[in-house]
Amino acid sequence: MNPEIQLETQRIIIRTRSFLDIITFGNWRRILSLDFSLGSLEEKTIRISKISVRRYELQTFDAVEYSYQLLGSISQEGMDHEHEEFRVGLRSKSTGTVYPLAAFRGTASTPSGLGVWILSIFPASFRASDNRHEAEARSLANLLCDKLNLKLT
């Protein structure tokens, strides 16, 4: 499941959603709050038995990390289906490690083999795949670059 992102004028709130969040009725999640007026990143981790909070200064990050990972692919009925993940994070100035903010998962479909030939004859038969996950990840990365005056890596 893709994260839920709430945009405010001086804050971005990112709530992760996963299978554990569903089966525990919201008692297992991670909430990140980037507060630009305070210059801080707050991470709240909610578990069934406890809540932990960590704070980071936004000045400790020097770049916005945007990465892609192919999780798997299959070919079926003249189509290639690729399950992919786009990750957005902040890179630490001192250590170079990436602090993960959000991961966007989805499937991209493209014609292959006989599907390319069928598409050339019947272009209306191809339904464009839903690439919202890629657009959401890219827009979050660009927004962070603009708000924090950082470069995209």
Side-chain angles (χ1 to χ4, degrees):
M1 296 179 120
N2 291 334
E4 175 186 332
I5 299 173
Q6 180 181 349
L7 300 173
E8 297 176 1
T9 55
Q10 289 298 317
R11 244 175 25 163
I12 298 175
I13 299 170
I14 303 170
R15 292 181 179 92
T16 59
R17 295 185 296 176
S18 67
F19 182 69
L20 286 174
D21 187 36
I22 293 169
I23 64 172
T24 62
F25 301 104
N27 291 324
W28 189 283
R29 74 173 22 197
R30 185 171 164 238
I31 301 171
L32 299 167
S33 177
L34 289 113
D35 196 333
F36 303 114
S37 60
L38 297 175
S40 68
L41 167 64
E42 179 182 282
E43 176 189 26
K44 184 185 290 185
T45 306
I46 302 170
R47 300 288 186 249
I48 294 173
S49 61
K50 69 176 185 171
I51 296 174
S52 62
V53 177
R54 288 190 216 159
R55 286 193 175 79
Y56 304 93
E57 295 296 318
L58 290 177
Q59 299 167 350
T60 61
F61 302 109
D62 67 346
V64 175
E65 186 79 24
Y66 177 79
S67 62
Y68 166 81
Q69 182 179 7
L70 179 64
L71 301 175
S73 64
I74 61 168
S75 293
Q76 195 175 41
E77 298 174 3
M79 296 290 284
D80 285 338
H81 304 283
E82 296 178 339
H83 189 64
E84 53 194 15
E85 179 178 77
F86 292 89
R87 297 179 186 157
V88 178
L90 295 173
R91 187 177 67 189
S92 174
K93 282 182 189 177
S94 59
T95 62
T97 58
V98 176
Y99 181 80
L101 295 177
F104 299 86
R105 292 185 182 122
T107 303
S109 301
T110 56
S112 67
L114 186 58
V116 175
W117 181 76
I118 293 171
L119 181 64
S120 66
I121 297 172
F122 304 107
S125 65
F126 177 67
R127 290 180 290 164
S129 61
D130 184 14
N131 290 339
R132 277 186 297 179
H133 60 284
E134 182 178 358
E136 289 172 350
R138 179 61 80 168
S139 63
L140 176 62
N142 289 335
L143 179 67
L144 290 172
C145 287
D146 288 343
K147 293 278 190 178
L148 299 173
N149 294 323
L150 299 176
K151 292 183 179 181
L152 185 67
T153 60

